[in-house]
Amino acid sequence: MKGRAVTWIWVLAGWTGLALFLGISSSLAYMAVGNPPRWSLTIRMALAEIYVWALIAPGVMALARRYPFTRATLGRSLAVHIPASLVISLAKLIGDQALRRWLFGFDGYVLITSLAPNFLFYWGIIAAAHGIAYYRSSRERELRASL
């Protein structure tokens, strides 16, 4: 159990680090155009939005395990992941609006380009899931070869 807890702590730290990076980047963007930075707001918003991804990620990873990208399954996997990425990205965008309204009292703006980061997060999680699967299978092959 101890190893699993440490893994989850590292996962949470990774999501938190990403949120801090994005929140700080947003405040720096405000500054770059001559506006005052909004450190607290941008960091809190980034944390809220990234932690939603942290909650979504296990489901996306399960989907990646169920529909992996191999030569034999490429077409079927794309047929699942492309619509899933669009639906999840849109749901996340709508959820972000509700989250901003609930936590911060405003909606913010929504542009079609707001889907792009969510789409990239989905595919980043898919890539991470495949990387983890590849690492595990590689380790298993090494263990079998050493016996």
Side-chain angles (χ1 to χ4, degrees):
M1 183 64 181
K2 183 180 178 183
R4 199 180 251 307
V6 169
T7 299
W8 282 109
I9 289 168
W10 278 110
V11 167
L12 181 61
W15 284 109
T16 302
L18 180 58
L20 291 173
F21 174 78
L22 293 172
I24 290 167
S25 295
S26 292
S27 278
L28 292 174
Y30 279 122
M31 292 172 65
V33 294
N35 294 320
R38 303 187 66 191
W39 300 107
S40 176
L41 177 64
T42 61
I43 290 171
R44 287 183 299 135
M45 282 178 53
L47 285 166
E49 292 174 11
I50 289 298
Y51 287 156
V52 171
W53 269 116
L55 294 173
I56 295 169
V60 174
M61 292 183 88
L63 202 58
R65 284 190 300 273
R66 176 88 170 94
Y67 299 98
F69 288 101
T70 65
R71 286 185 192 152
T73 64
L74 182 62
R76 180 182 62 142
S77 296
L78 284 172
V80 169
H81 286 293
I82 290 173
S85 65
L86 293 171
V87 168
I88 289 171
S89 295
L90 184 58
K92 175 71 170 62
L93 182 65
I94 293 166
D96 285 346
Q97 288 297 98
L99 187 65
R100 283 188 201 109
R101 192 176 318 111
W102 180 60
L103 291 176
F104 308 110
F106 64 88
D107 288 340
Y109 59 89
V110 175
L111 302 171
I112 193 67
T113 56
S114 301
L115 280 173
N118 291 332
F119 192 74
L120 290 174
F121 268 100
Y122 178 93
W123 288 98
I125 293 167
I126 294 294
H130 281 79
I132 291 166
Y134 178 79
Y135 172 77
R136 286 180 178 160
S137 69
S138 176
R139 293 277 300 183
E140 287 173 9
R141 281 193 301 272
E142 285 177 15
L143 287 172
R144 280 195 301 268
S146 68
L147 296 176

